[in-house]
Amino acid sequence: VRIKPGAPRDPGRRPTRQRALVARALQRQPRAVSAQELHRSLRRDDPRLGLATVYRALEAQVARGTARRFERQGHVSAYVACPPGHHHHVICDRCQRVSEIPEDLLRSMLRAVEARDGFRIDHASLDLYGTCADCQRKTRSVGRASAS
Amino acid sequence: VRIKPGAPRDPGRRPTRQRALVARALQRQPRAVSAQELHRSLRRDDPRLGLATVYRALEAQVARGTARRFERQGHVSAYVACPPGHHHHVICDRCQRVSEIPEDLLRSMLRAVEARDGFRIDHASLDLYGTCADCQRKTRSVGRASAS
DNA sequence: GTGGTTGCAAAGGTTTTGCATGTGC
DNA sequence: GCACATGCAAAACCTTTGCAACCAC
């Protein structure tokens, strides 16, 4: 149930001012940002930019493979621009900075998991959360809470 | 900002009929279940059981470490009973069955990531999604849709 | 001109919260 | 009896959708 009656046949391809705005703003962010955060920040440039448009632009990028979506705590989607083919990231809990996990480090672990109990990792979305080097340096004295 | 003025000092500890129901139901499930799924199923035993109660019971278990929360597609939380100390799982996309990822397989990869760019993995929530052995066997002919 | 896109507002979904009532210790 | 827990309904929240106006090609 993917294509609805009146839906565009090939959505998200037509270049528009709004999509360029969203794409550039995302590109500039080394952090994972939510649609609402992006919307708030972009509204300064264009007060008429709609929230739904931001959502649609971001999802179009995800579909094209030029961005990736994460589930942040609290049921919020956060987006990161990324070159197609890179699927795994480390995300800083404090500043949301994103770093990539190289494929080769993963592969051996995934193989071992697959072999162990016959699981096949289909679309392995492996996103680790931690603290980046900068934030570690900056916050020697700040306590963390997370118990999960 | 954890403790609110009128909030219980130590919530979720008092054993009640409802919490026992939720805990037992969760224990029995080898799959990751959402609060609403659990609520629907438990209502057969107790039609007056409230949805909010299920949410509160599940979160209490997460806080106690006897359950773990995942973010399923579509901003839905899914819960799994688990012994404290186990944090990493493989989840079947079709039947939601959960299997554990042994720590030792992870450790070397995490270390390598940490070393590479100074990230510290704090509360690494590593949850891989795939298809379990049973479902692979059962569905040789069923096409998958997921484009993500 | 056509068909995809936008903006706005309303709807949809899950989860959380307020409060009177109930219940374990 | 007191504090915590429950149930119900309303609220809060993010996200999606409907639709007229708009814009790229």
Side-chain angles (χ1 to χ4, degrees), chain B residues 74-140:
Chain B
H75 307 280
V76 181
S77 291
Y79 298 83
V80 186
C82 67
H86 281 131
H87 293 296
H88 312 294
H89 300 83
V90 206
I91 299 171
C92 180
D93 279 328
R94 310 197 195 191
C95 69
Q96 298 283 314
R97 185 176 318 201
V98 174
S99 188
E100 278 159 26
I101 301 175
E103 277 293 320
D104 55 318
L105 285 179
L106 274 183
R107 217 182 315 264
S108 61
M109 200 201 64
L110 296 189
R111 287 248 176 77
V113 171
E114 292 187 330
R116 197 180 57 115
D117 40 28
F119 245 94
R120 185 187 58 217
I121 314 282
D122 279 332
H123 60 100
S125 93
L126 167 54
D127 308 311
L128 304 177
Y129 296 82
T131 309
C132 73
D134 276 9
C135 285
Q136 284 178 59
R137 225 177 293 123
K138 281 180 198 156
T139 57
R140 237 179 319 159

Side-chain angles (χ1 to χ4, degrees), chain A residues 46-85:
Chain A
D46 179 355
R48 291 183 45 72
L49 182 67
L51 175 58
T53 301
V54 175
Y55 273 105
R56 288 188 276 231
L58 287 170
E59 284 303 320
Q61 284 209 56
V62 170
R64 279 182 96 174
T66 58
R68 194 154 137 48
R69 181 182 56 239
F70 300 91
E71 304 292 328
R72 200 189 272 176
Q73 293 268 80
H75 308 281
V76 181
S77 291
Y79 297 82
V80 187
C82 67

Side-chain angles (χ1 to χ4, degrees), chain A residues 14-28:
Chain A
R14 185 170 292 180
T16 65
R17 189 176 51 80
Q18 292 89 338
R19 281 176 193 169
L21 274 176
V22 169
R24 267 195 305 124
L26 195 64
Q27 208 87 282
R28 283 215 203 92

Side-chain angles (χ1 to χ4, degrees), chain A residues 101-119:
Chain A
I101 300 174
E103 276 294 318
D104 55 319
L105 285 180
L106 274 183
R107 218 182 315 263
S108 61
M109 200 201 64
L110 296 189
R111 288 248 176 78
V113 172
E114 292 188 330
R116 197 181 54 116
D117 40 28
F119 245 95

Side-chain angles (χ1 to χ4, degrees), chain A residues 92-94 129-132 135-136 139-148, chain B residues 1-2 120-124:
Chain A
C92 179
D93 279 328
R94 310 199 194 191
Y129 296 82
T131 310
C132 73
C135 286
Q136 284 178 59
T139 56
R140 238 178 319 161
S141 52
V142 177
R144 277 168 298 112
S146 164
S148 121
Chain B
V1 199
R2 281 268 146 130
R120 185 187 58 217
I121 314 282
D122 279 332
H123 60 100

